[in-house]
Amino acid sequence: MTRELSKDYLDQLVADVHALAADDPNVWGAPASYIPELAHIDPAQFAISVALEDGMILSAGDCDVPFSIQSISKVFTLSIALGRVGDTLWRRVGREPSGNPFDSVMKLEQEKGKPRNPFINAGAIVTTDALLSGHAPKEALSEIIHFVRAAAEDDDIHINKTVAASEKATGYRNLALAHYLRSYGNLDNEPDFTLGVYYHQCAIEMTTVQLARAGRFLASLNDVPKLIAPAKVRSLNALMMTCGQYDGSGEFAFRVGLPSKSGVGGGLLVIVPHRGSIAIWSPGLDSHGNSLMGTYAAERLSRDLGWGVF
Ligand code: GLU
């Protein structure tokens, strides 16, 4: 039997997550350890917010705690890039799931420097590079943060520079990917410049309330800022469904049945077309780099409310 969304429903979901963890603390998973600033975050945190068609936002758990959106930023940069360079982006980036980890270099060699999709790191670095061309890194970053603030209709959204510096200090794989792309002529700017913007976009911090609000343009809700053309909304959702969780995308589509993008900060942005936008955060990850309890909650919510698109 399908259930109705309510504040009580979300409070119960949060209570159930904590009850599961009381039985077995391992259910939280472990925060990303390769970015030192994220490694020490307490995994025992959970938040959920749902922004609905009528403008209402329902939240439960740690929904006032800003977290590092990391790869969820790729949804925003792709939105800006498609608006800027349009379909020419697809000459540089593919649209197929990779089946490889998010920072893998393997397919990049086999496919001659064209990343499989814009959500794996190589593809996101090319997308950021497209945004950067013709601009100073500061201008590109300012465009990104303004887009996110406009989507959320909230100016109190900022970049955590310590997290960006922490990722830069240990970002050897991204450095390798950027140099590899450049060697194939698929990076227009110097790797350090493009990566500088990329690390800062990943270090944007938002609460689940802010992220759920920012996702509304992808759910095609009425009365929200129209940031991209409807055809692009369709493309973005298709890519989130097929590639949004790296090499865990098939499993996520199977379990949740909704377009979504994850980040190694433990965030999830889940889109329910024409109904709402859901943000979930729990910093402990599974082996693919996706939030463990976040995925559990997304699956439960989609089944309980009958919100899957299939
Ligand atoms: N900044 C992270 C990286 O490049 C993003 C990865 C993610 O969130 O999945 O490794």
Side-chain angles (χ1 to χ4, degrees):
M1 202 182 78
T2 54
R3 304 184 47 188
E4 287 294 310
L5 177 68
S6 64
K7 168 76 175 136
D8 283 351
Y9 172 82
L10 294 183
D11 284 338
Q12 187 60 52
L13 186 58
V14 172
D16 290 350
V17 165
H18 283 278
L20 276 174
D23 288 344
D24 174 10
N26 292 329
V27 303
W28 289 118
S33 55
Y34 73 101
I35 302 177
E37 272 300 303
L38 298 184
H40 57 68
I41 291 176
D42 177 9
Q45 302 185 74
F46 181 90
I48 182 162
S49 297
V50 185
L52 292 161
E53 167 103 78
D54 58 8
M56 194 152 75
I57 300 196
L58 295 173
S59 294
D62 304 305
C63 58
D64 299 329
V65 182
F67 62 92
S68 198
I69 67 167
Q70 292 295 321
S71 279
I72 301 171
S73 66
K74 297 170 182 174
V75 172
F76 301 116
T77 48
L78 181 60
S79 301
I80 305 170
L82 286 178
R84 169 95 64 79
V85 300
D87 287 341
T88 62
L89 185 71
W90 304 125
R91 289 190 207 134
R92 299 178 62 185
V93 187
R95 299 191 295 249
E96 294 293 346
S98 74
N100 289 119
F102 63 94
D103 53 3
S104 171
V105 78
M106 201 161 66
K107 284 236 164 65
L108 209 50
E109 175 163 24
Q110 285 165 350
E111 298 178 2
K112 303 199 170 25
K114 181 172 177 178
R116 274 257 151 161
N117 68 66
F119 292 150
I120 51 169
N121 284 7
I125 291 167
V126 169
T127 305
T128 296
D129 187 66
L131 281 187
L132 177 57
S133 290
H135 299 267
K138 268 202 167 139
E139 288 168 354
L141 256 183
S142 147
E143 185 175 9
I144 296 167
I145 195 83
H146 279 105
F147 185 96
V148 175
R149 287 175 181 162
E153 295 181 282
D154 186 341
D155 283 343
D156 193 16
I157 295 173
H158 308 279
I159 293 169
N160 183 329
K161 294 195 174 129
T162 313
V163 171
S166 170
E167 187 171 3
K168 179 169 191 244
T170 55
Y172 301 113
R173 290 208 189 169
N174 286 326
L175 203 56
L177 289 170
H179 280 271
Y180 217 85
L181 289 162
R182 179 97 172 163
S183 79
Y184 276 105
N186 200 6
L187 203 75
D188 293 336
N189 300 282
E190 282 302 324
D192 274 353
F193 279 25
T194 303
L195 286 178
V197 177
Y198 173 76
Y199 292 141
H200 283 81
Q201 81 184 48
C202 288
I204 293 173
E205 290 189 337
M206 297 169 86
T207 64
T208 54
V209 175
Q210 291 171 324
L211 184 59
R213 281 175 67 85
R216 292 167 307 162
F217 75 101
L218 291 166
S220 306
L221 302 187
N222 294 323
D223 302 327
V224 300
K226 297 275 178 284
L227 295 167
I228 57 174
K232 303 271 190 297
V233 170
R234 184 173 176 274
S235 313
L236 261 289
N237 275 285
L239 287 162
M240 289 169 82
M241 179 67 98
T242 51
C243 314
Q245 325 285 317
Y246 312 117
D247 46 344
S249 298
E251 179 72 8
F252 192 91
F254 184 88
R255 286 174 57 187
V256 181
L258 287 167
S260 169
K261 182 74 204 83
S262 63
V264 292
L268 271 180
L269 174 62
V270 185
I271 304 302
V272 192
H274 308 293
R275 243 188 227 271
S277 155
I278 306 167
I280 310 177
W281 172 60
S282 185
L285 308 177
D286 65 16
S287 59
H288 303 297
N290 300 317
S291 173
L292 245 175
M293 278 295 104
T295 306
Y296 164 82
E299 178 177 14
R300 243 190 72 179
L301 187 139
S302 132
R303 283 182 198 273
D304 286 350
L305 307 180
W307 275 10
V309 296
F310 302 115

